[in-house]
Amino acid sequence: MYEAMGGHETFVRLVHRFYQGVREDEVLAPLYPQDDWEGAEQRLRMFLEQYWGGPTTYSDQRGHPRLRMRHMPFAVTTDARDRWLTHMRAAVEEVGLEPELEAVLWDYLERAAHAMVNTAEPG
Ligand code: HEM
């Protein structure tokens, strides 16, 4: 999948576009490390590259992903999830993958985002 999607270049573009949206989002932006946006961008990029069959740099540097656990410090509400997905959708569309690849990627991202919700708080 990694190569079919366009390899490193695709993931750089995807995650960069995603964070442009997140940084402008009044709910999401405050959750992120304000002094390390670049690091956050790099961590998500490395994780997605690894997930889709690219280099395993993420786990080499960060260990086992355990993403739900790593998100526990942040209140991932349904609103936060929907905003996350909105910015990710814009990024996926901008990257412009073949429809079949895009559908598989999007299906994963949607499921992963739904699984990350960790608070029943509304909003
Ligand atoms: C890290 C928020 C969903 C993957 C983070 C961080 C925040 C955050 C605030 C810390 C930034 C950092 O320093 O790296 C959210 C919110 C989500 C969401 C509000 C809404 C559903 C997801 C999903 C994935 C994901 C669906 C995977 C497909 C990651 C990864 C990290 C991360 C890989 C870095 C973990 C680490 O190594 O420390 N997320 N996230 N996130 N997120 Fe999310």
Side-chain angles (χ1 to χ4, degrees):
M1 275 298 278
Y2 178 72
E3 293 304 336
M5 285 173 168
H8 182 66
E9 208 50 48
T10 293
F11 289 89
V12 168
R13 286 169 57 217
L14 177 75
V15 174
H16 188 71
R17 176 65 185 80
F18 169 71
Y19 273 108
Q20 282 180 343
V22 170
R23 289 179 75 141
E24 300 292 316
D25 189 301
E26 60 185 18
V27 170
L28 294 183
L31 300 176
Y32 286 81
Q34 304 302 308
D35 56 351
D36 191 25
W37 283 100
E38 241 171 69
E41 187 168 321
Q42 204 172 28
R43 287 185 280 278
L44 179 58
R45 178 182 51 72
M46 292 188 305
F47 171 79
L48 291 174
E49 289 186 305
Q50 173 172 310
Y51 181 87
W52 291 102
T56 58
T57 321
Y58 178 86
S59 281
D60 296 344
Q61 293 187 9
R62 307 288 292 166
H64 192 284
R66 296 193 292 180
L67 284 189
R68 251 189 80 78
M69 189 204 75
R70 287 190 203 257
H71 285 76
M72 285 306 173
F74 318 112
V76 184
T77 61
T78 53
D79 179 46
R81 173 201 67 199
D82 292 345
R83 287 165 179 266
W84 192 99
L85 280 169
T86 297
H87 302 303
M88 193 51 95
R89 183 70 215 172
V92 166
E93 277 172 18
E94 195 161 295
V95 165
L97 296 170
E98 288 169 32
E100 297 77 19
L101 292 176
E102 182 179 297
V104 175
L105 174 62
W106 184 246
D107 181 63
Y108 163 74
L109 291 167
E110 254 193 328
R111 286 163 188 272
H114 279 252
M116 220 58 82
V117 173
N118 59 21
T119 169
E121 290 290 309

